[in-house]
Amino acid sequence: MDRLIVKGGQQLSGEIKISGAKNAALPILVSSLLSPHACILDNVPDVGDVKTMYQLLSVFGTTTTWDSNRLQIKTESLKNNEAPYELVSTMRASVLVLGPLVARGGEAIVPLPGGCSIGSRPVNLHIDGLRALGAEVHIQHGSIHVKAKRLKGAQISMQPSSVTGTENLMMAAVLAKGVTVIDNAAREPEVAELASFLVKRGARIQGYGTATITIEGVEALNDREQHHRIMGDRIEAGTYLIAGAITQGDVTVHLTSPELLDNLCTILHAAGAKISKKNESIRVKMNQRASSVNVTTGPCPKFPTDLQPQMSSLLSLANGVSLVTETVFENRLTHISELCRMGANITIKGNQAKITGTDKLSGAPVMASDLRGGTALIIAGLAAEGETAISRVYHVDRGYECIEDKLNTLGANVHRVKDNNA
Ligand code: UD1
């Protein structure tokens, strides 16, 4: 297991190219199960979860050819309909295969993903939605068994809105007979990206990007080979902007749709950063210690939960008291105890962290317990005095491409230690 060693105290400055969005790439890869025809995808991020997804899809007969960040993907025929527990247990997004497998092959067996360090993370909305589409669903021996000759369009209401739930049901409904309406659908841009990709492939979907998505089922997707470029990763971009702010630096990220980070920019501006946006980039310049600011996460268009841990690191060094309220996942404050070991002054009550800013953090050995929480510790390490050693970096590698190289390009001092005993 690798560790990252961060020597703190460098001001980050410069420009950074943002990778393709993991959370857009994953469902788009899965959608290959819906049709026998090939697609070529560009800007696919070379991150751990995407590699796990290749492994999972290969179980069903999907073939992938990889050249740099370009991927050719094809599922000529479905060879299997059962997902292995070992893969599902390492990546919750594996549940996304349920809808496409049953839509194309009539049957799917996927182990229940179980909880994870950020909360219990149920899949009831995926299951209820498939039942509404006419599938028989049984839970047996820890797995979800789904069967349907052909799914039928239905009216589905999500409460709460779920990103992968919406994606799963949208993919299932694409080949269903009749019209499906998903109300309170997730509005995250990655959901809209999947929908627009499916539309290119011949699906009939309207309303994506809004809370009501309407899908008119088709017999089959089209047979044209599709080229698609995966959108830039707004969470990765936001992470580097926060890294710039915590080191009182000057960082520019290149992102095709900078408005996807309006929420973060508003918060960073309130914390004292100067923000300049251009067509395809955002620059954050922080000339002084951040000021305190309150942050409350929520489904899109609210502040993304995937940037909350990184913001907590920034606010732990801010001037004043900030309240960070996590409303999406019940246990997404696990990085806080590690931040406190670095000298942060934070108390937790329920889903809220009260962060009393301190003027310095000190480097320490810390442990990543999830993807974004691990990244928050790296960010804290960048601004801490001395050395921070982050163990269990595999969590971070699930979602960030070459994180130490990108940070070092900006002037950070981060290196990786391969450590079999870490
Ligand atoms: C996706 C993202 C993840 C992000 C999250 C919220 C991917 C691969 N992952 O995760 O990075 O943090 O959205 O933006 O895209 N819920 C239920 N029942 C369900 C499903 C969800 O109650 O069947 C609840 C969850 O417990 C949570 C809320 O819905 O409280 C939102 O979760 P959801 O949007 O499903 O997260 P994911 O799709 O797993």
Side-chain angles (χ1 to χ4, degrees), residues 272-342:
K274 288 197 177 119
I275 315 280
S276 15
K277 281 191 215 157
K278 292 209 177 126
N279 276 350
E280 300 204 342
S281 67
I282 307 175
R283 177 177 178 188
V284 165
K285 196 166 177 216
M286 187 67 125
N287 290 329
Q288 71 285 321
R289 183 179 169 191
S291 310
S292 57
V293 53
N294 295 339
V295 178
T296 301
T297 66
C300 188
K302 295 186 180 148
F303 189 87
T305 172
D306 282 355
L307 286 173
Q308 174 270 109
Q310 301 89 316
M311 272 308 293
S312 305
S313 296
L314 173 65
L315 296 176
S316 66
L317 280 169
N319 197 357
V321 177
S322 310
L323 293 177
V324 172
T325 311
E326 171 58 53
T327 75
V328 180
F329 293 114
E330 73 260 36
N331 198 22
R332 201 172 210 176
L333 295 169
T334 48
H335 55 287
I336 297 289
S337 53
E338 294 298 88
L339 284 179
C340 289
R341 295 185 53 253
M342 296 175 71

Side-chain angles (χ1 to χ4, degrees), residues 23 26 93 121-126 160-164 188 305-306 328-329 332:
N23 287 353
L26 292 174
R121 302 190 75 176
V123 289
N124 59 305
L125 296 168
H126 302 244
S161 75
S162 159
V163 173
T164 48
E188 271 68 7
T305 172
D306 282 355
V328 180
F329 293 114
R332 201 172 210 176

Side-chain angles (χ1 to χ4, degrees), residues 177-218:
K177 189 173 164 54
V179 174
T180 299
V181 178
I182 307 177
D183 273 327
N184 200 29
R187 294 159 61 183
E188 271 68 7
E190 295 78 13
V191 177
E193 167 97 341
L194 169 67
S196 69
F197 175 69
L198 291 169
V199 167
K200 276 192 198 171
R201 305 208 69 194
R204 297 200 188 127
I205 310 177
Q206 288 182 326
Y208 47 91
T210 76
T212 304
I213 300 180
T214 304
I215 306 123
E216 190 188 332
V218 295

